[in-house]
Amino acid sequence: ISSVVLGANIGDFYGTWNDWIYRALTFLVISCPCALVISVPLSFFAGIGSASTKGVLVKGSNYLELIARCDTVVFDKTGTLTKGIFKVSKITAKVSEDEFLSAAVVAEIFSNHPIAKSIRDALKVRNAKAYYGIESRQKDIKVEEIHGKGMKAVLDGSEILAGNEKLMESFGIDYDKAEGKATVVYVAVDGQYFGYALIEDEMKETSKETIKQLKALGVKNTVMLTGDRKDVGEAVAESLGIDEVYTDLLPGDKVDKVEALLGELGEKEKLGFVGDGINDAPVLSRADIGIAMGSMGSDAAIEAADVVLMDDNILKISSIMRIAGKTLQIVHQNIVFALGVKVLVLILGALGMANMWEAVFADVGVSVIAILNSMRTLKVK
């Protein structure tokens, strides 16, 4: 009798052992993290790929997450919201216009700034002989840049000043204040005031629509930073519908303003900065997400930025924000779906109600579905 009972107990134990081994193997298959490990990075890679097809270079998956959370977007003006193609629209001078432009060209002959180029182009069109005469004497011209104010040049013993109001005031020049909402270049020679030129920059066709779309996507605050005069900057901001504008800024002042704006944000709020010039590189680095122009932008700005718009179309900022938002949405879907199915099948497995086929589905099947869901990021319009 004892042998029969002992045999029955061993048989019962043997059967129970097999059952728990099977359940353990089921748990092992279900708990494989392939669905999460593959689908989450793949979603971000697909988002970066989708952005590249739109002409936007994103330098890392973490920047997609940051740009999706942008509550404040800060813009540089020249070359970003405007085309950066300046033209002399009006000259008010106490001497002839050719004499005024010739003096200004001497001061701006070595400058690569778009405003300097517009002055040289104006003289070249009006009096090519005078322009090339100045150009041929470049070695005789001594130029000094006065930070945030303008240029001082010396030619044949004459001192020529070309710059803003601060330059005139710092040298004690009695000047006539310019009228008009445009960039102003004042010129003086040997302490004598020559006059001023109004230089206008053409607005990009996509700027106003960009601001409108960003606000529709949930951006709470749009800001413009510029070195232009207050009336010029405020006129541009008003025409585009920008919330805040800061004017008369030096390159270092832009960093300070961005620092101040960052201090006003909440813990989960992010700030993006859009710029193109070499002076914007420090600000691009300091912002949570830096966006640079790839076509007209300087190498320093492109290097410092996290996102690069390859064709300088700022309307694509709203496109990349949509892609980033959709990417995060799909990532969250994959995480919830994968964990939800796995937890459900794990519970059924612990109760002995799930077989190995269901475990395989919770692993491989969920992985395949999550991967297919990740590919939807490529279809964002």
Side-chain angles (χ1 to χ4, degrees), residues 165-193:
E165 298 173 0
K166 295 177 183 178
L167 182 68
M168 297 292 107
E169 291 168 0
S170 63
F171 281 85
I173 306 297
D174 185 17
Y175 67 97
D176 298 330
K177 193 172 181 64
E179 297 180 359
K181 296 180 179 180
T183 301
V184 183
V185 175
Y186 296 93
V187 175
V189 179
D190 292 330
Q192 180 185 354
Y193 175 64

Side-chain angles (χ1 to χ4, degrees), residues 295-374:
S295 177
M296 293 180 62
S298 69
D299 292 341
I302 294 171
E303 182 68 24
D306 308 308
V307 175
V308 181
L309 309 178
M310 300 310 295
D311 60 358
D312 295 351
N313 182 1
I314 61 171
L315 191 58
K316 290 185 177 179
I317 298 173
S318 57
S319 298
I320 190 61
M321 290 188 73
R322 289 192 190 91
I323 292 170
K326 187 67 174 179
T327 299
L328 288 185
Q329 181 183 347
I330 289 174
V331 166
H332 294 153
Q333 289 174 358
N334 285 343
I335 292 172
V336 172
F337 173 69
L339 292 179
V341 172
K342 286 180 180 293
V343 169
L344 176 62
V345 181
L346 279 173
I347 294 173
L348 294 176
L351 298 174
M353 299 171 63
N355 57 31
M356 188 58 71
W357 287 108
E358 291 166 337
V360 170
F361 170 77
D363 176 28
V364 179
V366 169
S367 297
V368 172
I369 293 172
I371 289 170
L372 292 175
N373 191 42
S374 301

